Amino acid sequence: MRCIRDIDWMGKRALLRVDFNVPTDKNGEVLDDARIKATLPTITYLLDHGAAVIAMSHLGRPNGKPQEKFSLKRMGKYLQGLLKAPVIIANDCVGEEVRQLAADLKPGSVLLLENVRFHPEEEKNDPSFSKELAELGDVYVNDAFGTAHRAHSSTCGVADYLPAYAGLLMEKEVEMLNSVLRDPIPPRMAILGGAKVADKLALINNLLDRMDYILIGGGMANTFLQAQGKEIGRSLFEPDLINEAASILAKAANNNVKIMLPIDVVIAGEVSANAQGQIIDLEKMPVDKMIVDIGPKTVAMFNEAIMKAKTVVWNGPLGVYEYPQFSKGTREIALALAKSSASSVIGGGDSAAAIQDMGLEDSITHISTGGGATLEFLEGLQLPGVVACQEMAVSAY
C-alpha cells in the first residue's frame, strides 16, 4: 500500500478519512474512544511533517439528513482534548464556507468536517459529491479501516480525484490481517463465535485452507452440533445450514484441519439478566433448555490448543456475552490468549470488547478497529477503501 510515509507533506492539505463512529450515551458523550485514539498517530505524523489536516467521518445512520444527535461537533471537542491543540469544527462537510475554511487552514492545524452522512450522496458514492470533498485537500489519506468495506464518497470516491495514501492505522490493519491470511506461523488457529453460521460462512470456508485448528463456540456452534446429531435442546440454530455445516466438517477432515466444538456447556431456561446458568456435559443436554456459554471442560480443551498455537485470529464471543453470568467462557479464552506466546489478532466486536474490558490490550498483538471490514477482509474480499490506496487512480506526488 502507498502510505503517508511515502510523501513530503510540507505545505500540503491532507484530506483525512477517520472513523469517529464511536459509541455514545444519550447525551452524546463518548463511551469508547478506542477508534479515535487509534488514528492519533496518523494525525500527529501529518501535523509534525508540515501538513494541514482536514478530517472527515460519519457518525451513526442519519439517513442523509442533518440531525443534532449525529453531529461530530462533540467529537471535535473530544479530539481537541486528546491532541491538546485547537480543532476547527465546520458546520458542514461541503459548501462555500467549508471551502474557505479549508483554503485558509495553516500547516499544523486541524479542521474537522461535519458528518458526511448528512448528505445522501455520501453513501451513493456520488461523483459530484466525491469531487466536492476532494477539492478541499491536496492528498487523500484513508485511516478509517472500520469503513473500508463501504464504497462511499469519503472512503473511496475521492480517490478518483486525489492521490490516495493509507494512514498508519490502515497500514497496520492490512499488514496484521494479511499476516494471518498469507504467511501465518504454524500451528495456525481461528477462534470463531457469535450467533450465526450464516454471518461467518464465507470466513470459515476461506480459513479452511489456511488454519490448522478452528475452535467454534457461541450460537453458531449449535448448528455444527446439530450436524453431528447432538442434542441442543431449545438452543437457537440454523436448520437450513445443517447440510452446509456437515460439509464444512467433512472438508476440514479432508484438509487435516481440526474443528473443535464444545464438549460441555452452560445452559439456562431463558436468556435474561435474571437467568441462572447450569454446567452440564453436552451428552446430558435436556430438551427444554438452551446453551448460553461454553463450559469449563471446553475452556480447558480450547486453552490447551491455544497454548500450542503460534498464530491465532479470534472473531466473535463464545457465549451470550452481554450477560455477565454467561460471559465467563469468552473471558477465559481472552485470558488464555493474553498468556499465550502466539501472534494474536482480534477481529473487533465483542471479542475486542472482552479484551479491553479486562485490560489485556498490551498482551494482544493486534486488536482490529474494524467490524464488518475485518470480517470481509478475512473472508478474502477486496475492500474499496483498501483498494483505493493500492491502485493509482490519479497521479501521486
Side-chain angles (χ1 to χ4, degrees):
M1 298 181 74
R2 298 188 307 279
C3 181
I4 56 173
R5 288 188 297 270
D6 300 330
I7 182 174
D8 178 7
W9 285 101
M10 188 59 66
K12 293 184 174 66
R13 294 173 299 164
L15 183 62
L16 172 65
R17 181 48 157 103
V18 293
D19 186 3
F20 287 177
N21 183 37
V22 300
T24 58
D25 63 18
K26 61 181 180 180
N27 297 316
E29 298 294 337
V30 175
L31 296 174
D32 182 354
D33 63 359
R35 286 182 172 179
I36 302 177
K37 286 182 175 178
T39 202
L40 290 181
T42 293
I43 296 174
T44 302
Y45 181 95
L46 293 168
L47 296 175
D48 288 348
H49 287 77
V53 173
I54 302 164
M56 56 182 174
S57 178
H58 78 282
L59 176 62
R61 298 182 178 182
N63 298 318
K65 298 177 182 178
Q67 298 182 47
E68 184 59 32
K69 66 178 179 179
F70 295 125
S71 173
L72 286 174
K73 289 184 172 60
R74 198 177 294 269
M75 298 302 164
K77 293 177 181 177
Y78 197 91
L79 176 63
Q80 186 168 273
L82 292 175
L83 290 174
K84 296 181 173 56
V87 173
I88 301 168
I89 304 170
N91 292 318
D92 204 342
C93 61
V94 290
E96 183 55 40
E97 181 183 339
V98 177
R99 279 194 293 273
Q100 194 60 53
L101 285 172
D104 294 342
L105 200 63
K106 304 298 182 185
S109 301
V110 179
L111 168 65
L112 177 63
L113 306 182
E114 185 54 282
N115 194 334
V116 290
R117 287 192 183 175
F118 283 178
H119 295 262
E121 296 87 354
E122 157 68 5
E123 294 185 73
K124 296 175 182 177
N125 196 14
D126 179 81
S128 297
F129 185 70
S130 298
K131 185 177 181 181
E132 196 169 359
L133 287 173
E135 288 170 351
L136 301 175
D138 301 311
V139 182
Y140 172 58
V141 178
N142 194 338
D143 209 34
F145 181 76
T147 63
H149 58 316
R150 306 295 188 194
H152 294 171
S153 286
S154 67
T155 59
C156 67
V158 292
D160 291 336
Y161 305 95
L162 290 176
Y165 291 78
L168 301 178
L169 173 62
M170 175 72 81
E171 180 189 48
K172 182 181 179 182
E173 290 274 14
V174 172
E175 285 182 353
M176 290 307 304
L177 294 174
N178 268 334
S179 72
V180 170
L181 293 178
R182 295 181 181 177
D183 195 26
I185 301 172
R188 308 158 299 175
M189 172 183 291
I191 306 172
L192 303 179
K196 296 180 178 180
V197 176
D199 295 338
K200 306 278 170 71
L201 196 56
L203 173 61
I204 296 171
N205 281 311
N206 194 39
L207 294 179
L208 279 175
D209 297 322
R210 305 170 189 273
M211 296 292 130
D212 300 302
Y213 297 87
I214 298 179
L215 282 49
I216 300 178
M220 64 182 295
N222 300 334
T223 301
F224 285 93
L225 293 171
Q226 274 278 286
Q228 292 181 330
K230 303 288 179 64
E231 177 62 60
I232 61 169
R234 295 193 295 110
S235 306
L236 293 177
F237 73 104
E238 294 155 279
D240 55 330
L241 289 180
I242 289 178
N243 289 339
E244 185 70 37
S247 176
I248 288 171
L249 292 171
K251 183 178 179 182
N254 290 335
N255 289 7
N256 293 318
V257 178
K258 186 172 183 179
I259 291 186
M260 302 175 71
L261 294 164
I263 55 175
D264 70 330
V265 292
V266 178
I267 61 172
E270 63 178 6
V271 177
S272 70
N274 298 320
Q276 295 300 312
Q278 175 190 354
I279 299 168
I280 63 161
D281 289 341
L282 189 65
E283 284 74 15
K284 299 178 181 178
M285 179 73 199
V287 297
D288 62 339
K289 302 289 185 180
M290 60 183 70
I291 299 170
V292 291
D293 198 4
I294 56 174
K297 292 180 182 177
T298 302
V299 168
M301 179 178 70
F302 283 8
N303 285 359
E304 183 179 357
I306 290 169
M307 290 306 156
K308 297 175 183 176
K310 294 300 181 184
T311 303
V312 180
V313 58
W314 178 19
N315 186 280
L318 304 176
V320 188
Y321 182 78
E322 56 267 35
Y323 294 103
Q325 69 271 37
F326 305 140
S327 67
K328 187 175 181 179
T330 300
R331 296 171 71 85
E332 290 284 348
I333 296 305
L335 277 172
L337 200 52
K339 292 176 183 177
S340 81
S341 60
S343 173
S344 50
V345 176
I346 308 297
D350 287 332
S351 343
I355 294 290
Q356 290 160 347
D357 288 348
M358 299 172 72
L360 301 174
E361 298 98 321
D362 292 342
S363 301
I364 302 299
T365 309
H366 180 65
I367 302 174
S368 180
T369 56
T374 304
L375 199 57
E376 289 191 19
F377 194 101
L378 291 172
E379 288 172 3
L381 300 178
Q382 288 199 323
L383 310 188
V386 172
V387 172
C389 299
Q390 295 172 330
E391 296 177 355
M392 196 65 68
V394 295
S395 59
Y397 289 95

